[in-house]
Amino acid sequence: MGMRTAFKDALASRDEIAADEERDEASRQSGCCAIGSLPDRRRAQVSGVVRSVTLRPREGVPAFAAELFDGTGSLDLVWLGRRRIAGIEPGSRLRVEGLVSTSGGRPTVFNPRYELRSRHAE
């Protein structure tokens, strides 16, 4: 480790360290793209950690939403017609696949395929 890297690591905030860890973890997942570079209107596969979950009714229909973070950016996941999904909660690790669109100015995947997963080291 060089002097510059050691100095950078010593000054890094807790959020920066967490983002670096997530970026490293997501990069180990073969076939996954970085959330920060997702193209609009294309199918993609991403991996990350759930930061938050909410129930957001859309036009009278229940919608369960989660924010997925991989260290490069965040992606909104929305399951229409669902109020809850067992196992998807803050801190859960997911690998998801679906069509990326922009909703409210944020990258979003509606009704994604998902796989719950554990940390690489666990």
Side-chain angles (χ1 to χ4, degrees):
M1 174 176 7
M3 182 67 109
R4 180 176 285 177
T5 303
F7 188 67
K8 178 184 171 247
D9 290 346
L11 296 177
S13 72
R14 197 175 255 180
D15 288 341
E16 291 170 328
I17 292 168
D20 286 344
E21 289 173 359
E22 287 308 321
R23 200 171 19 260
D24 291 344
E25 184 70 25
S27 70
R28 290 186 191 108
Q29 299 296 312
S30 65
C32 288
C33 302
I35 290 174
S37 63
L38 287 175
D40 194 27
R41 297 180 181 236
R42 296 260 170 102
R43 289 193 69 77
Q45 200 173 95
V46 298
S47 177
V49 64
V50 175
R51 280 191 158 171
S52 65
V53 295
T54 56
L55 180 60
R56 287 192 242 167
R58 300 175 68 89
E59 299 178 16
V61 175
F64 180 76
E67 178 189 11
L68 190 71
F69 177 72
D70 76 347
T72 67
S74 294
L75 173 68
D76 289 340
L77 307 172
V78 179
W79 287 269
L80 299 172
R82 302 292 299 264
R83 294 184 190 283
R84 184 176 188 296
I85 298 176
I88 298 182
E89 56 194 36
S92 298
R93 299 192 167 282
L94 299 177
R95 181 180 183 128
V96 299
E97 180 182 347
L99 180 67
V100 180
S101 62
T102 301
S103 179
R106 294 180 46 90
T108 304
V109 176
F110 289 93
N111 298 319
R113 293 181 56 194
Y114 68 95
E115 173 185 325
L116 292 168
R117 60 182 190 79
S118 64
R119 228 179 223 278
H120 180 71
E122 295 176 342

